[in-house]
Amino acid sequence: MAHSHPPLPRDRYQFEFRPYSRAFQQPLQTGHGIWRDRQGILLKLTDDTGRTGFGEIAPLDWFGSESLEQALQFCATWEGAIAPDAIFSIPDTLPACQFGFEMAWENLTSATAASQTPGFFYETTEISAAQREETRCLASPPASILLPTGIAALTFPLLVEHGDQSANPTFKWKMGVASVQDELAVFRQLLPLLPTGAKLRLDANAHLTEEETHQWLEICQDWPQVEFLEQPLSPDQFDAMQRLAEQYPTPIALDESVATLAQLEACYQQGWCGIFVIKAAIAGSPVRLREFCKRQAVDVVWSSVFETAIAQTFIQTRLIPSVPQQTRAIGFGINHWFRDPLTGLNAEHLWQRL
């Protein structure tokens, strides 16, 4: 189907890009393997009046997006200048590029696009300081905290620190990287350590068998602290996950199955009524993503792909507030995984540091 986008100016924008690489504080172990650093690309658009808009391409090719090399090649094609029509013609095979360029365009044109596009969320310079603070609070839902894999989760400092500072915190623990017996042993030790009222998300990254998934769901029935089991089986086992979701009270959330907009729409059309974990930065066009979430009002968990503050700010203050409100904690409690000083810098300072 055809998708609309906001009215576009005719002139071209000056375009620059800068690759980045950020080492994790410690390697992140998932069912997909060991991840040692986050590499991506920052984008900057400038119009003829000097206004700028920053964007970010944060691909995960092993999760379903284009590779970093493909994204760099695409950026090199347009280095110097790019037209708005080209931004909104990026193919679906480059979903992280779609997201990054459209983000930069929205950040650049937000002041005028707000009045042209009803239903979009933009922070303009015309709102009062009180309104801006209210918007900031509304646009900053609580974030789930990512724990280390395996037994290291039991002694993770933020497990205690965040629990003391936040009411009803949410934590996420990646499993599916060791034997079921070993991980169940850690799981049984981890649950009593959770703060009162805390929730725990279990993320298998599609690396359980159907029999193992039954084992986990059987045990989770006795632990209401478990919010959901995330992507236990591979995307090609959709029917099996549908059956499991109907069989057990612990919800199943789709993640790898819905990495891109096309996959998200396909799973919805196939009748998935459970939770959708949306990694916006690799899903594709934010314009089309808004359209889908508004039209279908799906149960969403917004999730990070370890972006910089540029993409995180856009997702949390523009994208999430522009769709029906969600009650689930967003998956953005990840900045403690980095060892560099880039966390917390605004777009201009990040750009200058690179």
Side-chain angles (χ1 to χ4, degrees), residues 180-199:
V180 173
Q181 291 73 23
D182 288 346
E183 291 189 328
L184 282 174
V186 176
F187 172 74
R188 290 189 176 99
Q189 296 176 70
L190 176 60
L191 283 169
L193 298 178
L194 296 177
T196 302
K199 295 179 181 179

Side-chain angles (χ1 to χ4, degrees), residues 34-238:
I34 304 295
W35 194 7
R36 291 183 168 79
D37 57 8
R38 161 36 100 193
Q39 298 182 56
I41 310 167
L42 299 187
L43 314 177
K44 183 179 182 181
L45 300 179
T46 307
D47 69 10
D48 57 2
T49 69
R51 289 187 307 172
T52 61
F54 291 94
E56 179 176 354
I57 300 172
L60 284 182
D61 55 346
W62 43 268
F63 212 94
S65 82
E66 69 271 42
S67 67
L68 177 67
E69 291 72 22
Q70 289 171 316
L72 286 168
Q73 184 177 9
F74 181 81
C75 290
T77 302
W78 296 102
E79 186 171 17
I82 188 170
D85 285 335
I87 292 174
F88 285 92
S89 300
I90 297 174
D92 290 345
T93 52
L94 300 172
C97 288
Q98 282 184 343
F99 190 85
F101 276 88
E102 288 190 30
M103 178 204 317
W105 181 86
E106 284 195 27
N107 284 332
L108 173 62
T109 62
S110 58
T112 55
S115 62
Q116 298 171 349
T117 314
F120 271 46
F121 176 91
Y122 294 98
E123 180 181 354
T124 71
T125 56
E126 298 176 359
I127 64 175
S128 67
Q131 288 173 315
R132 188 176 293 109
E133 176 61 18
E134 180 182 2
T135 297
R136 185 193 66 79
C137 294
L138 289 173
S140 301
S144 66
I145 302 299
L146 180 62
L147 299 172
T149 308
I151 198 169
L154 303 179
T155 55
F156 190 56
L158 284 185
L159 183 64
V160 176
E161 294 172 12
H162 192 75
D164 291 341
Q165 299 171 8
S166 172
N168 305 321
T170 300
F171 298 93
K172 180 174 181 175
W173 186 55
K174 288 186 176 290
M175 17 83 79
V177 297
S179 71
V180 173
Q181 291 73 23
D182 288 346
E183 291 189 328
L184 282 174
V186 176
F187 172 74
R188 290 189 176 99
Q189 296 176 70
L190 176 60
L191 283 169
L193 298 178
L194 296 177
T196 302
K199 295 179 181 179
L200 180 66
R201 297 170 176 177
L202 301 175
D203 184 6
N205 282 126
H207 277 74
L208 296 182
T209 65
E210 191 167 347
E211 180 182 351
E212 290 168 341
T213 304
H214 276 287
Q215 285 183 262
W216 275 101
L217 290 173
E218 286 280 358
I219 290 169
C220 287
Q221 292 181 109
D222 299 326
W223 297 94
Q225 300 99 315
V226 177
E227 184 180 6
F228 54 75
L229 175 60
E230 187 172 328
Q231 193 74 40
L233 305 177
S234 65
D236 60 4
Q237 294 177 279
F238 176 86

Side-chain angles (χ1 to χ4, degrees), residues 7-33:
L8 301 175
R10 296 179 179 177
D11 50 321
R12 294 162 66 86
Y13 302 122
Q14 178 184 337
F15 168 55
E16 304 169 74
F17 69 95
R18 294 179 181 178
Y20 69 83
S21 179
R22 307 179 69 192
F24 289 117
Q25 188 80 10
Q26 62 189 68
L28 179 62
Q29 186 175 12
T30 76
H32 297 285

Side-chain angles (χ1 to χ4, degrees), residues 319-330:
L319 182 57
I320 295 176
S322 71
V323 301
Q325 288 295 311
Q326 302 292 322
T327 59
R328 299 185 186 276
I330 60 175

